[in-house]
Structure formats: C-alpha cells, structure tokens
Amino acid sequence: VQLQASGGGLVQAGGSLRLSCVASGRPFGAYAWFRQAPGKEREFVAASSWRGEKKDYADFVNGRFTISRDNRDNTMYLRMNSLKPEDTAVYYCAARATWAPRSYSYSYWGQGTLVTVSS
C-alpha cells in the first residue's frame, strides 16, 4: 500500500491549490488530510469516508477546503480556496480501514507536500 501526495507549491494569499494523493494497493474505509506547520504539531484538516457519504472538516477550514476522491483511479483530492498565510504547512494524506475522522491512528500515510502561502 502506497500513498503518493502532490500538488503543493507557492501561492499568494487568497489563491487556490488542489492537492492530490494517489492510493495504490487496496481500497480503504476512509481517508484524510492532515497538515503540519513549522514548529507545530500535526493537525487534522479533513476526512471522508471512501464513498464520500461522510465528511468532516476542521473548524479552521470554514468552508474553504473540499475533500473528494476520483473513483476511477483512487486519487484523493483536497481543494483549497481562499488560502491564508497560516495555511502554510506540509500537507499529508492518510488512509485507514474504518471511519474515524479526527483520529491520528491512520494506517497509511503519504510523504507530504509543502504548501506555502505568501502574504
């Protein structure tokens, strides 16, 4: 099982990015995105059940981010709009067998992709 994240980069405040995470090896019960800013602990961003019927977002998202998945190729996405400098972090995708959105006990993690938001 492998998760390969991509799509990070440098964007100005107010801009948008779409992060991708390709999952290979097996289907999962749920997947999520976490982030870790410099000098801070990793924090939950968003989660979705594999079929998308359940979704959960951190309070700071406030409608700006959307988690989704492409059924055709098991690619997971995090669409981020209205980005702020405080969104600067390494973003990680993760997957697990069961729905437990804000748990940090995900079985599989991607390598992380850096998002930098300039003011």
Side-chain angles (χ1 to χ4, degrees), residues 3-108:
L3 301 179
Q4 184 73 33
S6 62
L10 175 64
V11 63
Q12 289 188 332
S16 298
L17 279 177
R18 188 179 74 165
L19 306 183
S20 301
C21 180
V22 178
S24 61
R26 55 173 287 179
F28 302 99
Y31 62 100
W33 290 90
F34 290 78
R35 72 183 187 183
Q36 187 166 17
K40 296 186 178 181
E41 295 186 349
R42 191 171 298 188
E43 64 178 347
F44 168 77
V45 177
S48 175
S49 57
W50 195 243
R51 297 177 183 175
E53 71 274 20
K54 300 176 185 179
K55 294 188 178 183
D56 188 24
Y57 294 92
D59 292 343
F60 63 78
V61 169
N62 199 24
R64 300 181 297 127
F65 298 176
T66 303
I67 188 170
S68 63
R69 184 177 70 87
D70 188 332
N71 292 330
R72 296 170 296 177
D73 59 4
N74 279 350
T75 299
M76 303 172 282
Y77 299 101
L78 183 69
R79 175 70 181 183
M80 304 186 294
N81 297 325
S82 302
L83 283 162
K84 305 174 181 179
E86 52 263 43
D87 293 318
T88 294
V90 177
Y91 284 72
Y92 298 89
C93 57
R96 56 177 289 150
T98 57
W99 174 246
R102 304 199 179 201
S103 167
Y104 284 74
S105 58
Y106 280 73
S107 302
Y108 306 100

